[in-house]
Amino acid sequence: MSRSRPSGPLTVAELVRFGPLSGAQVRAGSRLDRPVTGVSLISDLDQARRCAPETAMVLHPAAAHGSWALEAAMRFAWERNASCVVAPASVAVTGSTPQLAERLRMPLLSVADPARLALDLAVAVADTEAARARLIARCAVLFSERHNLRDIVGAINAEVPGALVALLTQEGHLLAGRAAAGRGDDQAAAHDRRVRVPVPGPDGGPWAVLVAQLTEASPSWADTVTTILKLARSSITAAGAGLRMSLSHQAGRDRLLLETLLRTGPGSAPTAPPPPGGAVGEESGAVEPEAEQLAREAGWPVDGRHVAVRLRPAEPAATDLDGAAAGVIAAWQTGRFAAPLVPQNGGWTTWFTDTDPGQVSRLVGRRLAQARIPLPLTAGVGEPGEGLDGLRDSVAQAELAAVAASRRAPGTVERYAELGPRAVLAHLPVAELAAAARTLLAPLLADAKAEVLLVTLAALLDCAGSTGQTAARLGVHRNTVLGRLERIRARGVDPDAPDGRLALHLACHALLSTEPFATGRPSAL
């Protein structure tokens, strides 16, 4: 903790969490963030009228003759802007008393020995550094006893009052803790109500960041929270490394087993050398019972109608798949799905058994939106297939749909059945095709209404040259389409030429899939 600036006052919440009030019964918990700068033992209600602001008002049993006296003391505390009211446990607190405390937003607590408590409070308020040092020491002990990310961050949220803490990836995705801490606004940061502490990965490089959102802008309290977050870093790094190693080992085994199951099947031949240990029958080309038995023992659903799902990063080029794999698998597994999530070919594969593809799409969409997945993903969903042969076909379909989904916004889920032949277009080298298309259609792209004409040309080719169907698709009159078509031909583009129609169609697809394709002008459609 920094000694360069004075220690700020303790709050009621701090005294309740780790100070003398830790054994008190909280009757009303409004405004526990009130600072406490003094303590007053009230033996007569007249003393309450002279209580200094920000004072913990402790009622001696001689002053608390019943609920009426307690309510009068609370009103005096509210008038004097006291920090809280502490009553003897011997005084019966009726239903109206806590309600009054909540309306006045005055913390109300009960203790067995008010006189002893007043002395302990005075000691704690006089030496705030010692009180906060006890909190730091307690957190350090708790960190040493916890071995996963959620428990470590949860200990901070449970023990540190007035702070919401979250562990985020470098990109801002939640790994553990309170999501609200990661959504803090810039104004909170400007008023010193946010604390950020970087957390290194096992290799020493940047991996994650601990963020604390504070309810009060106290420099000394921010120092305390910063010290606690720094103490948590080594435990979090160790827990992250252990999780990554465990999941990486399991993921490697799962990938080998899944590739063995998908590589061959009854009546087919292996397309790659068998893995060490020989799970694939080289002569018959069928999956040996050993591999299938291993899958069953692992709890994998093998029988039934399977619907495959492929997950892909929304930004593959900018994603460290090896570093993100553990977080993705861990977040996905919290959904308690029967099939594993297996890393494969730049993404992850899983499947659902005896489930409708439409329901699978909805489940996956909700999972991508709600799970604490450390990077944005898109997904493709295949069609149902029976047994391992059906799973193999469904995985291939899901891969085609996943590539198509990766061209869209994060969280997109595409079904192979809804894409049809368009799934093949997703595998085309769009950037290279678009570069060639800009040269081919340069005269058309130079037109003032280039995007409108390009959209019309693509729709016309989609509709096999039918101007009526094109007009219906675009929502315009057929004469409008004819007028645009004349303008397209005037630019040297003939959509009726049979030898160039396929290339023209692909050129339109590539340009419309690239933003901005040439002009940057908004569509007039």
Side-chain angles (χ1 to χ4, degrees), residues 484-505:
R484 293 176 183 175
L485 187 55
E486 289 300 319
R487 191 164 180 168
I488 290 171
R489 289 195 174 98
R491 290 289 182 172
V493 178
D494 184 7
D496 296 325
D499 57 341
R501 180 172 292 184
L502 176 60
L504 193 58
H505 207 167

Side-chain angles (χ1 to χ4, degrees), residues 6-180:
S7 176
L10 295 170
T11 64
V12 178
E14 292 176 74
L15 293 169
V16 169
R17 187 76 68 187
F18 60 84
L21 289 173
S22 59
Q25 182 177 2
V26 180
R27 302 288 190 174
S30 297
R31 289 298 308 275
L32 292 179
D33 56 347
R34 289 174 178 266
V36 181
T37 58
V39 181
S40 180
L41 181 60
I42 306 298
S43 57
D44 187 290
L45 288 181
D46 286 338
Q47 291 180 263
R49 293 189 176 94
R50 300 187 298 273
C51 179
E54 297 184 350
T55 295
M57 185 184 293
V58 182
L59 298 182
H60 193 276
H65 302 294
S67 59
W68 66 269
L70 179 56
E71 293 183 3
M74 282 193 299
R75 288 189 173 90
F76 293 143
W78 175 72
E79 291 173 358
R80 302 297 298 170
N81 193 28
S83 301
C84 63
V85 174
V86 182
S90 58
V91 176
V93 179
T94 62
S96 61
T97 304
Q99 292 176 6
L100 175 62
E102 293 291 349
R103 285 199 301 271
L104 296 177
R105 303 188 70 187
M106 178 59 59
L108 174 62
L109 307 99
S110 296
V111 297
D113 189 349
R116 174 62 181 271
L117 174 75
L119 179 61
D120 293 342
L121 280 177
V123 173
V125 170
D127 191 354
T128 59
E129 289 285 343
R132 285 172 176 154
R134 287 194 295 271
L135 172 63
I136 293 172
R138 173 172 171 77
C139 288
V141 172
L142 292 175
F143 296 154
S144 68
E145 297 173 347
R146 283 156 171 75
H147 307 291
N148 65 66
L149 300 180
R150 290 188 178 181
D151 286 351
I152 295 169
V153 180
I156 305 175
N157 280 314
E159 296 297 326
V160 180
L164 295 177
V165 182
L167 178 67
L168 308 176
T169 65
Q170 292 291 106
E171 296 77 20
H173 298 282
L174 184 68
L175 291 174
R178 306 286 183 84

Side-chain angles (χ1 to χ4, degrees), residues 283-375:
E283 295 182 0
S284 65
V287 176
E288 286 190 357
E290 179 184 352
E292 189 170 330
Q293 182 62 27
L294 286 174
R296 294 182 189 278
E297 291 175 358
W300 292 15
V302 175
D303 302 314
R305 290 177 61 81
H306 308 299
V307 177
V309 175
R310 281 283 293 162
L311 305 181
R312 291 175 61 91
E315 299 177 357
T319 302
D320 177 12
L321 289 181
D322 292 336
V328 172
I329 295 173
W332 184 267
Q333 287 176 343
T334 59
R336 302 185 183 277
F337 299 125
L341 186 68
V342 183
Q344 190 184 39
N345 301 330
W348 295 268
T349 301
T350 188
W351 65 94
F352 293 76
T353 303
D354 297 329
T355 307
D356 178 74
Q359 183 180 357
V360 171
S361 297
R362 292 189 292 273
L363 286 171
V364 173
R366 286 197 297 268
R367 196 76 195 137
L368 295 184
Q370 299 172 2
R372 297 176 174 181
I373 298 176
L375 76 164

